[in-house]
Amino acid sequence: MKMFALSCALLLAASPAFAAKSCDELKTEIAAKLDAKSVTGYTLEIVANDQVGERKVVGSCEGGAKKIVYTKGK
């Protein structure tokens, strides 16, 4: 239980660092992870927070001002 609490605390502490990444850098990292898992037919798009809508958010960048959304192709 202590290990779980410690893991959660570390994750929360690291969150601001991830949000500060440039959008292009984070988008490239996410695409590399998806490609490594052999995911195909997807689109990653950088959008302003108010343009997310119902799309799945897979990343936050520019200090939380923008989101990276994932769309699965048909």
Side-chain angles (χ1 to χ4, degrees):
M1 185 66 172
K2 288 181 183 180
M3 187 60 123
F4 176 73
L6 179 62
S7 296
C8 289
L10 289 174
L11 181 61
L12 288 174
S15 293
F18 291 120
K21 284 190 176 190
S22 78
C23 290
D24 290 329
E25 178 184 2
L26 184 58
K27 183 179 173 184
T28 300
E29 290 177 11
I30 294 169
K33 289 179 183 180
L34 291 171
D35 292 344
K37 292 182 179 185
S38 300
V39 177
T40 60
Y42 67 88
T43 302
L44 295 175
E45 185 180 358
I46 301 166
V47 298
N49 288 339
D50 61 348
Q51 297 176 337
V52 171
E54 297 296 318
R55 295 180 282 185
K56 182 176 181 177
V57 175
V58 293
S60 178
C61 53
E62 291 188 18
K66 294 186 178 180
K67 302 288 190 239
I68 299 175
V69 294
Y70 168 92
T71 306
K72 182 70 175 168
K74 296 181 185 202

